[in-house]
Amino acid sequence: GVRRVRVGTRIARGLAWAMSVSPPWKRPGGGGRAVARRLWRPPQWSLVQICSHLAVFYAIAAFAFVIQPAWLAIGNCRSSVVIGTFWLIFVLSLGLYGFVCFADTRYREGTEDTASVLWDSEPRICDDCSASITHKRAKHCQVCNKCIEGFDHHCRYLNVCVGSRTYTPWYCFVVFLFALMAFCSYSAVHALTTPESYHLASVSLVAFYGVAGLQVCVSSLLSLFLFSLSAQHVFFIRQGITTLEYIKDQAAGFPGVPPPSWREHVSRGECYSCSEAMEVVEVHDPNQVWFCNVCQVDLSRAGVEFYTCPSCENVSVCPVCRSVARDRRRAIVTYRTSALRRVADAQVYKDVLGSSCTSRLSSVSGTIRAPRLSRRTFSAAVAAVEGHTGENVRRNSFCTLGASDPRDVEEVADDEYESGSSTGEA
């Protein structure tokens, strides 16, 4: 009888694991609603990713099977050199594509230059992957389920994160792909003007014009987008900022690390920069730009009351970090916005009312600075089409292959909120 019970328990656990749903004895509260287990799954391709790959494949295949034979039939050296250069760029692009897709961009301590480490600042802990972060621009991507070193953006079309290790290869890939698409567009236009030189036109003129015309449309649109994207990143490189910093309208080095000597000031309700009394603010518009300068969480999307300095530019502290400031034994944790709401709701009022420290917190007044909104420029639109800020949790990516220690249990409702609040970038 005991053996049958044990066998039945093992079978139930195996079925629960296979169905990716935690069993009732493992659910929070002893049997609440089902909680999804974040197990590894093969990369899932989105519709945008599939369409973009098919468009590039069609443009290159149309050149290879329709236009290239006619150029080779001419037999001059110029055509051979041009075709050889085209395929050389194609091979280089393919190699860069593979490197960007499968490179390990996970944040690892001690891999960046020592000049970028702020030794007088304490680290912050990622609540998702438990990484201890002491470098700037390290961000947790909820699609890849890991912290990315030097996060720039999550590319929609490659479905990978572009970080400090892969930014240069990714940009070279964009430039090479632009060259390929521009050449395909030129060759298709040239073919439409001289159809008598191509074998497909002698077989079926309608089919030839259909294939060449579609190639012109596809390759021209891709060339225009890739040119805009490459030009945009030239501007980012000259300014020394990332796509995330541009979209979120933040200074270089975002997400940062906790500022030095912040605990003493924040625990008293003072600004750590100017020692002025901080004010309580609550924002209901997720498009406004408010970030906690300690844990780097997006306060606008979190929808919680926080503390900000009415005089200093972009100096804000979330209620959880203010509670951490009064207890030096507690580490700084970067939560998801949904998790921050739960933690803040449980402790914010108790921390403010029950604190034994002298607080200079005041209610919100008319002296607070005007809020900034997320960028709505053409560059921001191009960035939003190309990638996003890593806040979408609905889809796995190639990055999942290198993810370590994923969170075993996560609430489905939080996934739905996070995926619905994702903003564009890169």
Side-chain angles (χ1 to χ4, degrees):
V2 175
R3 178 174 295 181
R4 291 179 180 177
V5 172
R6 290 179 178 176
V7 172
T9 302
R10 291 177 181 177
I11 293 175
R13 288 178 177 175
L15 291 176
W17 182 87
M19 296 173 62
S20 297
V21 177
S22 58
W25 56 84
K26 292 293 185 180
R27 296 176 188 172
R33 63 188 180 86
V35 179
R37 293 173 58 93
R38 296 197 63 180
L39 302 176
W40 181 87
R41 291 171 296 182
Q44 299 178 2
W45 284 43
S46 65
L47 180 61
V48 173
Q49 189 178 3
I50 294 175
C51 292
S52 62
H53 281 71
L54 289 178
V56 172
F57 176 78
Y58 175 82
I60 295 176
F63 170 79
F65 295 104
V66 177
I67 300 176
Q68 179 178 266
W71 288 20
L72 291 176
I74 299 177
N76 57 21
C77 182
R78 180 181 178 182
S79 300
S80 301
V81 170
V82 170
I83 293 175
T85 303
F86 176 87
W87 290 113
L88 176 62
I89 296 176
F90 172 78
V91 172
L92 293 176
S93 301
L94 200 60
L96 292 171
Y97 172 85
F99 177 81
V100 172
C101 287
F102 295 101
D104 184 13
T105 57
R106 187 191 317 119
Y107 175 81
R108 292 194 295 266
E109 195 65 33
T111 55
E112 295 186 357
D113 297 335
T114 55
S116 64
V117 181
L118 303 180
W119 298 105
D120 56 348
S121 297
E122 58 182 307
R124 58 184 177 91
I125 309 299
C126 177
D127 184 51
D128 287 273
C129 59
S130 301
S132 180
I133 299 173
T134 58
H135 295 79
K136 296 181 178 180
R137 290 176 173 170
K139 184 182 186 299
H140 186 89
C141 177
Q142 296 173 14
V143 179
C144 306
N145 194 32
K146 62 181 179 180
C147 285
I148 305 299
E149 183 174 316
F151 183 89
D152 188 86
H153 70 281
H154 184 93
C155 181
R156 298 182 189 274
Y157 304 98
L158 302 182
N159 204 12
V160 296
C161 274
V162 178
S164 56
R165 297 195 192 104
T166 56
Y167 182 80
T168 300
W170 173 83
Y171 183 74
C172 293
F173 169 73
V174 171
V175 174
F176 287 163
L177 189 60
F178 163 71
L180 291 177
M181 294 300 100
F183 184 79
C184 288
S185 178
Y186 166 77
S187 62
V189 172
H190 183 270
L192 289 175
T193 57
T194 57
E196 64 278 359
S197 303
Y198 299 90
H199 175 71
L200 182 60
S202 60
V203 175
S204 175
L205 192 61
V206 176
F208 172 78
Y209 278 114
V211 172
L214 183 59
Q215 183 186 5
V216 170
C217 296
V218 170
S219 56
S220 297
L221 290 176
L222 291 175
S223 300
L224 179 62
F225 171 70
L226 292 170
F227 174 78
S228 302
L229 183 63
S230 59
Q232 177 195 58
H233 279 269
V234 169
F235 169 75
F236 292 162
I237 293 172
R238 291 179 59 88
Q239 295 295 320
I241 61 176
T242 63
T243 312
L244 176 66
E245 293 163 356
Y246 179 80
I247 292 295
K248 297 296 186 181
D249 196 12
Q250 298 293 303
F254 174 81
V257 294
S261 305
W262 69 276
R263 288 182 180 264
E264 293 78 6
H265 294 280
V266 173
S267 62
R268 296 193 299 266
E270 299 176 353
C271 173
Y272 57 80
S273 180
C274 65
S275 299
E276 187 174 342
M278 303 184 76
E279 297 181 342
V280 182
V281 180
E282 184 175 7
V283 178
H284 300 283
D285 185 3
N287 293 322
Q288 294 185 11
V289 179
W290 297 93
F291 285 90
C292 177
N293 295 88
V294 180
C295 67
Q296 309 298 313
V297 72
D298 191 336
L299 298 172
S300 300
R301 293 181 60 240
V304 298
E305 289 185 349
F306 58 94
Y307 314 105
T308 187
C309 179
S311 301
C312 299
E313 178 72 14
N314 197 22
V315 174
S316 303
V317 179
C318 70
V320 177
C321 288
R322 184 176 183 273
S323 177
V324 171
R326 299 199 299 268
D327 188 356
R328 292 185 175 274
R329 295 172 299 178
R330 295 180 59 184
I332 304 169
V333 180
T334 301
Y335 294 98
R336 295 192 183 191
T337 54
S338 55
L340 179 69
R341 284 196 304 273
R342 292 195 300 268
V343 177
D345 291 342
Q347 73 175 22
V348 59
Y349 296 108
K350 180 182 66 175
D351 290 343
V352 172
L353 298 178
S355 176
S356 59
C357 302
T358 303
S359 176
R360 297 180 58 192
L361 288 172
S362 61
S363 60
V364 63
S365 64
T367 60
I368 196 163
R369 67 173 178 88
R372 295 177 296 171
L373 297 177
S374 300
R375 294 184 185 269
R376 293 294 184 267
T377 61
F378 175 76
S379 296
V382 173
V385 172
E386 198 280 331
H388 62 81
T389 57
E391 293 161 354
N392 186 358
V393 297
R394 276 186 168 275
R395 186 176 299 114
N396 282 357
S397 67
F398 283 116
C399 299
T400 314
L401 297 174
S404 63
D405 299 329
R407 176 170 285 188
D408 290 334
V409 178
E410 184 174 53
E411 293 191 11
V412 177
D414 296 337
D415 288 352
E416 295 294 336
Y417 179 86
E418 297 289 346
S419 62
S421 303
S422 178
T423 56
E425 84 93 68

